[in-house]
Amino acid sequence: FSTAIAITEQPISISVPVGYSFVLRCRAQGCTSLQYQWFCQYQSDCRPIPGATNQDLPIIAEQTQLYTCRVNDLHRNAVFSDWVKVEVHQCVARGLPPRLWRGEPVIVLNPSEQRVEAGQPLQLQCAAMGVPAPSYQWYHNGNLLEQQKRKKLWITHTKVSDSGTYLCCASNSHGEHWTNAVDVHIGEQNQPTLLCCTSPGVSCKIALLVGNNHYQHHPNLMAPVRDVFELSRLLERLGFQVVSLLD
């Protein structure tokens, strides 16, 4: 007969405020009775958690740590669960997360506008809480960036074509939330973009686009984000200087 141990429910990573209470779960099946032992890792130190010998591990989030669970049977077979991360946000704005939070993504850090010389690196950063921990996807001028799926967007050597508007979507099984959109300017420093026309005889056409994505009593919409970017490209081809705003 088989003595293999199969983990049927892996623990999940979470991203939560300090003091948040949660239960990490691990479930397994085997041919004999099973024993559980949870481990945590902080920095480079991995150690068993005293008394953590149940399928469930109640935790109160105090600092960011990694966790895994070892499952063994009476034949000394053993397997480990996936490592999961409990990311703890020490400083969270007042009112976050919402009082009746179900674990949907909540943005706690928005990216900031950047001015970078061509050839220099670009880093944009965002962060979101969520249970499970959110996944991230960055967009540039409304186009999905296939390789940018982390909290930090990193471009080693920027090009002028990297200029534009960036934003990130944080999502998990409960929903999604978008960061603020920010402008990134690539080129020579101290040459700000002017939104006025000073050449004599040249007609100046400026278009202001405002897309509202967040509503107080309505689910977030996807269309305004895409519409603003598509309309801005169209108006630019028609000779407009475009100012795009979201929310």
Side-chain angles (χ1 to χ4, degrees), residues 50-111:
T53 56
N54 296 319
Q55 295 174 319
D56 295 340
L57 176 66
I59 60 172
I60 298 177
E62 295 179 351
Q63 57 189 358
T64 297
Q65 294 188 121
L66 299 175
Y67 293 85
T68 187
C69 185
R70 184 190 66 203
V71 185
N72 60 275
D73 62 16
L74 299 181
H75 299 292
R76 296 186 178 180
N77 298 304
V79 297
F80 281 85
S81 73
D82 295 339
W83 281 98
V84 295
K85 184 178 185 178
V86 175
E87 182 180 34
V88 180
H89 297 273
Q90 299 289 341
C91 299
V92 176
R94 185 182 301 275
L96 294 180
R99 186 164 55 88
L100 300 178
W101 190 42
R102 298 181 299 108
E104 67 275 10
V106 175
I107 302 295
V108 295
L109 176 65
N110 278 289

Side-chain angles (χ1 to χ4, degrees), residues 98-190:
R99 186 164 55 88
L100 300 178
W101 190 42
R102 298 181 299 108
E104 67 275 10
V106 175
I107 302 295
V108 295
L109 176 65
N110 278 289
S112 57
E113 181 177 352
Q114 302 284 334
R115 290 185 177 273
V116 180
E117 291 187 17
Q120 295 300 309
L122 167 68
Q123 177 178 287
L124 296 174
Q125 185 172 357
C126 70
M129 296 186 297
V131 179
S135 57
Y136 297 88
Q137 178 61 63
W138 287 90
Y139 292 78
H140 174 222
N141 291 339
N143 299 311
L144 183 147
L145 298 174
E146 187 63 39
Q147 304 302 318
Q148 303 290 351
K149 297 179 180 292
R150 298 179 180 273
K151 289 186 295 184
K152 292 183 179 180
L153 175 147
W154 178 260
I155 300 175
T156 306
H157 301 287
T158 54
K159 305 181 296 292
V160 173
S161 59
D162 293 321
S163 295
T165 304
Y166 289 79
L167 76 169
C168 186
C169 179
S171 61
N172 65 12
S173 56
H174 296 294
E176 63 183 26
H177 207 132
W178 294 75
T179 66
N180 295 339
V182 296
D183 290 328
V184 171
H185 310 274
I186 309 295
E188 295 298 328
Q189 292 183 339
N190 303 321

